[in-house]
Amino acid sequence: MSDVPSSGPEPQPASGTARPVRGMLHHVEIWVPDLGRAVASFGWLLEALGYAPFQSWSDGRSWRLGATYLVFEQSPALTADRHDRCRPGLNHLAFHVEDHEAVEDLAARARRHGWSLMFPDRHPYAGGPRTYAAYLVNADGFEVELVAVDHPDPG
């Protein structure tokens, strides 16, 4: 919940999606210092992961997958111009990806959209030998983790 009411449009029920279950995430709102950069980096990635554009207004955009949506807003109430994942609050968003080939494909394509690979010396097992993932960070300091559902064991 934000300190300032969002100026975005009122969410509409997701058509053609399963009924949400108790405890399921409804939405996550992330304040960004530059909406254009957020749309360029997150918009591409979310659409590549199957999210669809949902809402759009002068200070924000959202993407939805099923009944859950992610909001990116450039609020006039921001108190900093860069996200710091090491401060209290959001550290990162992690997304399931079908397999290790998809992780590698998305990680390679992400570079063209403002993302860079974190922990390249430990990629793709930076999270340990049982997790095949790409850890990416964008120009504003936001991190995403792309985790393969199916992957080979480390050699």
Side-chain angles (χ1 to χ4, degrees):
M1 182 187 281
S2 61
D3 294 331
V4 177
S6 174
S7 58
E10 196 60 32
Q12 299 299 311
S15 61
T17 61
R19 180 176 171 82
V21 296
R22 183 174 187 230
M24 181 179 190
L25 272 176
H26 183 269
H27 74 276
V28 174
E29 184 170 328
I30 299 172
W31 282 10
V32 297
D34 186 292
L35 183 60
R37 283 194 306 261
V39 168
S41 63
F42 278 104
W44 166 83
L45 180 61
L46 293 172
E47 290 177 32
L49 291 170
Y51 284 74
F54 180 40
Q55 302 163 310
S56 179
W57 65 103
S58 62
D59 295 326
R61 304 286 183 282
S62 69
W63 286 263
R64 179 177 66 197
L65 182 61
T68 302
Y69 62 100
L70 298 174
V71 178
F72 298 87
E73 183 173 356
Q74 185 175 343
S75 171
L78 281 171
T79 60
D81 62 359
R82 181 169 165 77
H83 176 70
D84 183 343
R85 66 184 190 81
C86 294
R87 288 186 179 173
L90 178 73
N91 178 267
H92 68 279
L93 296 171
F95 299 95
H96 290 288
V97 178
E98 56 273 16
D99 56 34
H100 71 283
E101 287 108 353
V103 167
E104 295 305 327
D105 177 61
L106 287 168
R109 291 171 37 208
R111 290 183 186 102
R112 297 190 303 262
H113 300 278
W115 296 97
S116 58
L117 186 64
M118 301 173 73
F119 322 114
D121 59 321
R122 294 184 282 157
H123 175 77
Y125 295 104
R130 298 177 57 117
T131 303
Y132 192 107
Y135 296 82
L136 305 172
V137 64
N138 72 7
D140 290 315
F142 289 98
E143 178 188 346
V144 297
E145 182 179 343
L146 305 175
V147 183
V149 173
D150 294 321
H151 61 84
D153 289 328

